[in-house]
Amino acid sequence: MDYQRVLDEMLHVATPLTHQGAVADYIPELARVASGQFGVALCLVDGTTFSAGAADTRFSIQSVSKLFTLSLAYRLEGDALWRRVGREPSGTPFNSLVQLEIDHGIPRNPFVNAGALVVTDTLCSHYAHPSLAILDFLREISGAGDVNFNSAVAESEAGHGHRNAAMAHFIKSFGNLATDVDAVLQTYFQHCSIEMSCVELARAALFVANHGVVPHGGKAILTPLATRRLNAILLTCGTYNAAGDFAFKVGLPAKSGVGGGIVAIVPGQLAICVWSPTLDEYGNSVAGVAALEHFSALTAHSVFQ
Ligand code: DON
């Protein structure tokens, strides 16, 4: 497969779309990011990397971080995690509160904000410095020792994160947060503020394509069974209430974020990351989704073979 040609074609298809949609502005610091940008990077499990466009530009990973916090929590908690968070697509926006009351404080899945807060709570229980543990994990698996938080973004979100705060207190009222609400929120805002490039994110996600093992170094993060399950949750819940449409168009497990990044996995073969800051109504990158749709059409990579 000539992956460089595929990525160049993705860039060609995506570039005219990079002004469609809108950058996330509910976190004021994210509204400052310029539209008109697109990057893509692909890493094969043997470590070979291809890229096109702004693949080395760092951006706010936002909810893409939830793929990595879930991996850490699943590794630490095992199946006990599923007593506190479900595995069903929510069909509601990522920041919705409505189902929490009906479901007695058990979030539908780990990728809606409510579920990600519970996941973060487990990390707050396990680590004295949970934000640093998450950052160290990302540095290790990406091989980029200078990956860091953007404290201006974290503070900007904390200053405007009333929905997340409401959600965290509501979950706590059902007894489904073990640690301090403010500490969970602070850790959550910090891991969402981490900045990485497409190349770094594709490399970091390789273990999800490689049966749970980091190809460079051979460290096992998750068992093969847990990795298949993680991929199932990515496919069904990773792009929020657009996950059905994304599975239809792209057919790959994926995680998106409101910074405009999307990481997708071809199990057993590769991880790919696209980035373009303008978003559709669901919070997924317009050019990123279109580029991945083109990727799956060109390569016939899909879990539905
Ligand atoms: O909680 C929030 O609203 C953000 N820190 C993360 C949201 C996000 O990326 C959801 N994505 N589509």
Side-chain angles (χ1 to χ4, degrees), residues 26-27 62-63 66 94 113 157 164 188 192 240 256-258 283:
Y26 72 97
I27 303 172
Q62 290 297 319
S63 288
K66 296 170 186 174
F94 60 84
N113 288 10
E157 185 165 6
N164 283 323
Y188 173 81
C192 287
Y240 307 103
S256 59
V258 297

mmCIF file of all heavy atoms in Angstrom, residues 26-27 62-63 66 94 113 157 164 188 192 240 256-258 283, ligand 1:
data_model
loop_
_atom_site.group_PDB
_atom_site.id
_atom_site.type_symbol
_atom_site.label_atom_id
_atom_site.label_comp_id
_atom_site.label_asym_id
_atom_site.label_seq_id
_atom_site.Cartn_x
_atom_site.Cartn_y
_atom_site.Cartn_z
ATOM 1 N N TYR A 26 -16.486 27.414 23.367
ATOM 2 C CA TYR A 26 -17.013 27.391 24.729
ATOM 3 C C TYR A 26 -15.874 27.311 25.739
ATOM 4 O O TYR A 26 -16.072 27.532 26.928
ATOM 5 C CB TYR A 26 -18.030 26.256 24.914
ATOM 6 C CG TYR A 26 -17.426 24.870 24.950
ATOM 7 C CD1 TYR A 26 -17.158 24.240 26.156
ATOM 8 C CD2 TYR A 26 -17.092 24.213 23.775
ATOM 9 C CE1 TYR A 26 -16.588 22.980 26.185
ATOM 10 C CE2 TYR A 26 -16.532 22.960 23.793
ATOM 11 C CZ TYR A 26 -16.280 22.348 25.002
ATOM 12 O OH TYR A 26 -15.699 21.099 25.030
ATOM 13 N N ILE A 27 -14.669 26.968 25.250
ATOM 14 C CA ILE A 27 -13.454 27.150 26.054
ATOM 15 C C ILE A 27 -12.722 28.319 25.367
ATOM 16 O O ILE A 27 -12.158 28.150 24.282
ATOM 17 C CB ILE A 27 -12.573 25.877 26.037
ATOM 18 C CG1 ILE A 27 -13.367 24.670 26.551
ATOM 19 C CG2 ILE A 27 -11.311 26.093 26.857
ATOM 20 C CD1 ILE A 27 -12.654 23.321 26.388
ATOM 21 N N GLN A 62 -7.727 17.559 23.953
ATOM 22 C CA GLN A 62 -9.084 17.524 24.527
ATOM 23 C C GLN A 62 -9.562 16.089 24.762
ATOM 24 O O GLN A 62 -8.901 15.325 25.412
ATOM 25 C CB GLN A 62 -10.042 18.356 23.657
ATOM 26 C CG GLN A 62 -9.743 19.855 23.752
ATOM 27 C CD GLN A 62 -9.945 20.397 25.145
ATOM 28 O OE1 GLN A 62 -10.886 20.061 25.840
ATOM 29 N NE2 GLN A 62 -9.011 21.245 25.613
ATOM 30 N N SER A 63 -10.699 15.708 24.159
ATOM 31 C CA SER A 63 -11.273 14.392 24.501
ATOM 32 C C SER A 63 -10.495 13.215 23.937
ATOM 33 O O SER A 63 -10.789 12.078 24.310
ATOM 34 C CB SER A 63 -12.728 14.313 24.036
ATOM 35 O OG SER A 63 -13.519 15.117 24.867
ATOM 36 N N LYS A 66 -9.168 10.989 26.470
ATOM 37 C CA LYS A 66 -10.012 9.994 27.161
ATOM 38 C C LYS A 66 -9.705 8.567 26.713
ATOM 39 O O LYS A 66 -9.963 7.615 27.451
ATOM 40 C CB LYS A 66 -11.492 10.345 26.947
ATOM 41 C CG LYS A 66 -11.845 11.691 27.591
ATOM 42 C CD LYS A 66 -13.235 12.189 27.206
ATOM 43 C CE LYS A 66 -13.453 13.597 27.759
ATOM 44 N NZ LYS A 66 -14.716 14.181 27.310
ATOM 45 N N PHE A 94 -21.929 15.101 24.138
ATOM 46 C CA PHE A 94 -20.925 14.642 25.101
ATOM 47 C C PHE A 94 -21.035 15.298 26.463
ATOM 48 O O PHE A 94 -20.587 14.751 27.460
ATOM 49 C CB PHE A 94 -19.505 14.815 24.533
ATOM 50 C CG PHE A 94 -19.123 16.228 24.189
ATOM 51 C CD1 PHE A 94 -18.638 17.090 25.161
ATOM 52 C CD2 PHE A 94 -19.210 16.696 22.887
ATOM 53 C CE1 PHE A 94 -18.261 18.392 24.854
ATOM 54 C CE2 PHE A 94 -18.845 17.994 22.558
ATOM 55 C CZ PHE A 94 -18.375 18.846 23.544
ATOM 56 N N ASN A 113 -18.552 13.110 28.759
ATOM 57 C CA ASN A 113 -17.819 13.785 29.837
ATOM 58 C C ASN A 113 -18.078 13.136 31.194
ATOM 59 O O ASN A 113 -17.155 12.991 32.010
ATOM 60 C CB ASN A 113 -18.215 15.261 29.893
ATOM 61 C CG ASN A 113 -17.640 16.040 28.721
ATOM 62 O OD1 ASN A 113 -17.105 15.448 27.781
ATOM 63 N ND2 ASN A 113 -17.755 17.357 28.767
ATOM 64 N N GLU A 157 -10.752 26.502 30.644
ATOM 65 C CA GLU A 157 -11.862 25.557 30.768
ATOM 66 C C GLU A 157 -12.388 25.532 32.206
ATOM 67 O O GLU A 157 -13.608 25.482 32.413
ATOM 68 C CB GLU A 157 -11.445 24.149 30.329
ATOM 69 C CG GLU A 157 -12.655 23.241 30.362
ATOM 70 C CD GLU A 157 -12.512 21.922 29.633
ATOM 71 O OE1 GLU A 157 -11.419 21.601 29.149
ATOM 72 O OE2 GLU A 157 -13.526 21.210 29.582
ATOM 73 N N ASN A 164 -19.399 20.776 33.454
ATOM 74 C CA ASN A 164 -18.606 19.664 33.969
ATOM 75 C C ASN A 164 -18.627 19.647 35.504
ATOM 76 O O ASN A 164 -18.672 18.581 36.118
ATOM 77 C CB ASN A 164 -17.166 19.746 33.447
ATOM 78 C CG ASN A 164 -17.057 19.281 31.998
ATOM 79 O OD1 ASN A 164 -17.738 18.336 31.598
ATOM 80 N ND2 ASN A 164 -16.219 19.943 31.215
ATOM 81 N N TYR A 188 -9.104 16.454 35.241
ATOM 82 C CA TYR A 188 -9.794 16.320 33.944
ATOM 83 C C TYR A 188 -9.439 17.483 33.011
ATOM 84 O O TYR A 188 -9.069 17.269 31.845
ATOM 85 C CB TYR A 188 -11.304 16.239 34.202
ATOM 86 C CG TYR A 188 -12.148 16.260 32.954
ATOM 87 C CD1 TYR A 188 -12.336 15.110 32.198
ATOM 88 C CD2 TYR A 188 -12.763 17.443 32.529
ATOM 89 C CE1 TYR A 188 -13.110 15.136 31.055
ATOM 90 C CE2 TYR A 188 -13.539 17.475 31.385
ATOM 91 C CZ TYR A 188 -13.717 16.326 30.649
ATOM 92 O OH TYR A 188 -14.470 16.346 29.509
ATOM 93 N N CYS A 192 -7.241 17.172 29.462
ATOM 94 C CA CYS A 192 -7.815 17.649 28.204
ATOM 95 C C CYS A 192 -6.923 18.716 27.552
ATOM 96 O O CYS A 192 -6.953 18.891 26.335
ATOM 97 C CB CYS A 192 -9.207 18.240 28.432
ATOM 98 S SG CYS A 192 -10.482 16.996 28.757
ATOM 99 N N TYR A 240 -19.026 10.237 19.961
ATOM 100 C CA TYR A 240 -20.250 10.732 20.606
ATOM 101 C C TYR A 240 -21.501 10.333 19.840
ATOM 102 O O TYR A 240 -21.582 9.246 19.292
ATOM 103 C CB TYR A 240 -20.173 12.259 20.826
ATOM 104 C CG TYR A 240 -18.920 12.610 21.546
ATOM 105 C CD1 TYR A 240 -17.837 13.152 20.885
ATOM 106 C CD2 TYR A 240 -18.790 12.308 22.895
ATOM 107 C CE1 TYR A 240 -16.662 13.420 21.553
ATOM 108 C CE2 TYR A 240 -17.626 12.560 23.574
ATOM 109 C CZ TYR A 240 -16.574 13.122 22.890
ATOM 110 O OH TYR A 240 -15.423 13.364 23.541
ATOM 111 N N SER A 256 -12.418 11.264 19.037
ATOM 112 C CA SER A 256 -12.306 12.658 18.597
ATOM 113 C C SER A 256 -12.171 13.586 19.803
ATOM 114 O O SER A 256 -12.409 13.180 20.938
ATOM 115 C CB SER A 256 -13.560 13.038 17.808
ATOM 116 O OG SER A 256 -14.702 12.865 18.632
ATOM 117 N N GLY A 257 -11.812 14.823 19.520
ATOM 118 C CA GLY A 257 -11.757 15.847 20.566
ATOM 119 C C GLY A 257 -12.118 17.198 19.983
ATOM 120 O O GLY A 257 -11.991 17.406 18.763
ATOM 121 N N VAL A 258 -12.557 18.134 20.843
ATOM 122 C CA VAL A 258 -12.984 19.442 20.329
ATOM 123 C C VAL A 258 -11.810 20.336 19.936
ATOM 124 O O VAL A 258 -12.016 21.439 19.427
ATOM 125 C CB VAL A 258 -13.936 20.191 21.301
ATOM 126 C CG1 VAL A 258 -15.229 19.418 21.500
ATOM 127 C CG2 VAL A 258 -13.259 20.498 22.620
ATOM 128 N N GLY A 283 -19.186 18.092 17.453
ATOM 129 C CA GLY A 283 -17.882 18.310 18.083
ATOM 130 C C GLY A 283 -16.769 17.535 17.411
ATOM 131 O O GLY A 283 -15.673 17.411 17.964
HETATM 132 O O1 DON B 1 -15.071 18.710 28.827
HETATM 133 C C1 DON B 1 -14.963 19.345 27.809
HETATM 134 O O2 DON B 1 -15.914 19.973 27.363
HETATM 135 C C2 DON B 1 -13.629 19.352 27.060
HETATM 136 N N1 DON B 1 -12.536 19.432 27.935
HETATM 137 C C3 DON B 1 -13.456 18.138 26.223
HETATM 138 C C4 DON B 1 -14.545 17.981 25.257
HETATM 139 C C5 DON B 1 -14.242 17.193 24.068
HETATM 140 O O3 DON B 1 -13.188 17.204 23.455
HETATM 141 C C6 DON B 1 -15.388 16.448 23.599
HETATM 142 N N2 DON B 1 -15.270 16.244 22.239
HETATM 143 N N3 DON B 1 -15.702 16.110 21.275
#
